[in-house]
Amino acid sequence: MILFELIDFDILRVIWWVLLGVLLIGFALTDGFDMGVGALLPFVGRTDVERRVVINTIGPVWEGNQVWFILGGGAIFAAWPPLYAVSFSGFYLAMFAVLAALILRPVGFKYRSKRDSAAWRSGWDWALFVGGAAPALLFGVAVGNVMLGVPFYLTEDLMPMYDGAFYAKFLGLLRPFAILSGVVSLSMLLMHGAAWLTLKTEGPVQMRARTIGTYAGIVAAVAYALAGVWLALGVDGFQIIGEVAPNGPSNPLYSEVERGGSWMAAYSARPWIIIAPIMAFAGIALAVMGLRAGREVSTLLWSKMAITGIISSVGLTMFPFILPSTVNPDSSLTVWDSSSSHQTLFVMLVMAVIFMPLILAYTAWVYKVLWGKVTEDEITGSGHSY
């Protein structure tokens, strides 16, 4: 109880904003290379055995990696209920497409080798490609739409309403800047998947992964730079006008928000956040150099740094906004007015402090046990591989 009284509501809100970012980054760092490997599968593996090698680099770990995705969704539901209500209802068609693509992965792993048919296996290989590439692209498109603002508003009783029907809810999300954000996400995760394959494979598969990963990293750097310029010159930002109430009620209509100016004003107000894009560009450059030089562990670590920088730059640039509204800016969701109660956030924090270290320790143990390369001899000589 004493600790509960010591941690102010505004501090808890910021802590859970940070934790949400940590969960999203954790998902990208772990399941991100799974998606990247799936998207690379038809291109780095030329023979059936080579493709089985690629699949078996992620086969033992992908389910554990998706825990971060589940934790992220759970955190949004419990810590930021309005965000969950608006995003999961307004984007349900896009989310259905993501989930449908993700479902292809376990089904593809399970059924690919059930028949000794080249056409059958090739079909499932392309299904695994879709299961990796589509979510990687659509997650970036979603982030781009968040920065552009979403056409929703809140009624007086805080019921979220979404403007438009099918077009606005799915096809309307495919705006040019959002597509560019999707390119950043896809190329970033392709580079990450290539870095993972460089670590886990050898021979022709490793060489092809290094080549494709190098080009993917270059595309990621160029697309990220273009997105930054576009954000500075062609995208209106949002800002709270009047008094900010960090300890105010969890009512998004409590704040007054206007649309205008630039998101890049955040770098003048908080110059230290420049560290995020620096990490992004430096991580990409070092990962690309590592891929070209044939380095393995360090390349994967630099790729992780790049992903951390790219995702962090979005959150730090938008703070305190979480989901801006283009229909009624006053309905925009911010860190200060769209969280759960003080007590709920505190209880959740206690649970996170207890269970997060256990998850991290178990994950580290799994990767230690599974350390080492996946070879063709191992695949052909084992009856337990995919």
Side-chain angles (χ1 to χ4, degrees), residues 44 51 91 183 257 283 298 301 357:
V44 296
R51 292 185 178 185
F91 294 167
V183 172
V257 177
S298 62
L301 294 177

Side-chain angles (χ1 to χ4, degrees), residues 41-357:
L41 174 62
F43 309 104
V44 296
R46 301 285 175 82
T47 67
D48 180 66
V49 173
E50 287 180 350
R51 292 185 178 185
R52 289 183 63 196
V53 167
V54 173
I55 290 171
N56 279 273
T57 64
I58 59 174
V61 298
W62 72 269
E63 290 177 291
N65 291 339
Q66 283 202 329
V67 168
W68 294 95
F69 185 53
I70 298 169
L71 288 175
I76 293 174
F77 173 77
W80 310 99
L83 175 62
Y84 183 90
V86 174
S87 59
F88 278 68
S89 61
F91 294 167
Y92 73 90
L93 289 174
M95 290 187 175
F96 179 82
V98 169
L99 291 175
L102 289 175
I103 289 171
L104 290 175
R105 181 162 52 187
V107 176
F109 289 159
K110 183 70 175 178
Y111 286 99
R112 182 189 183 276
S113 296
K114 292 296 184 183
R115 292 179 59 186
D116 190 13
S117 164
W120 171 269
R121 295 186 176 189
S122 177
W124 283 114
D125 289 339
W126 284 104
L128 290 170
F129 164 79
V130 173
L137 176 68
L138 291 176
F139 283 134
V141 170
V143 171
N145 276 283
V146 168
M147 302 200 77
L148 291 170
V150 179
F152 75 94
Y153 64 94
L154 301 175
T155 63
E156 291 183 357
D157 57 358
L158 301 183
M159 179 180 293
M161 305 295 291
Y162 203 94
D163 271 9
F166 177 82
Y167 177 79
K169 290 181 178 179
F170 188 71
L171 298 180
L173 301 178
L174 302 178
R175 294 179 278 183
F177 178 80
I179 293 174
L180 178 61
S181 300
V183 172
V184 174
S185 176
L186 177 58
S187 56
M188 171 184 78
L189 296 183
L190 286 174
M191 178 187 71
H192 197 41
W196 175 256
L197 288 175
T198 299
L199 176 67
K200 296 292 290 182
T201 65
E202 57 188 16
V205 171
Q206 185 189 61
M207 294 299 295
R208 295 182 196 118
R210 287 171 53 190
T211 300
I212 297 174
T214 298
Y215 288 114
I218 294 171
V219 171
V222 173
Y224 182 62
L226 289 175
V229 173
W230 195 334
L231 200 65
L233 303 179
V235 176
D236 288 335
F238 291 79
Q239 56 186 342
I240 299 175
I241 57 177
E243 183 180 357
V244 177
N247 282 302
S250 291
N251 182 347
L253 298 178
Y254 183 82
S255 302
E256 293 184 49
V257 177
E258 69 175 5
R259 187 179 185 185
S262 171
W263 283 121
M264 293 304 183
Y267 291 87
S268 298
R270 303 184 298 275
W272 61 270
I273 68 175
I274 192 68
I275 187 64
I278 290 176
M279 286 176 60
F281 284 116
I284 292 174
L286 291 168
V288 168
M289 288 189 291
L291 286 167
R292 289 176 60 85
R295 292 187 287 269
E296 298 179 357
V297 176
S298 62
T299 299
L300 185 63
L301 294 177
W302 292 130
S303 178
K304 291 180 182 294
M305 186 178 84
I307 292 173
T308 301
I310 289 173
I311 297 177
S312 297
S313 66
V314 176
L316 292 172
T317 299
M318 293 184 62
F319 184 87
F321 288 92
I322 302 176
L323 190 65
S325 169
T326 57
V327 176
N328 177 16
D330 288 345
S331 296
S332 298
L333 308 182
T334 74
V335 172
W336 311 128
D337 58 24
S338 58
S339 71
S340 293
S341 67
H342 190 177
Q343 184 175 6
T344 299
L345 294 183
F346 176 77
V347 172
M348 288 176 59
L349 180 61
V350 172
M351 295 298 100
V353 169
I354 294 172
F355 290 106
M356 281 292 289

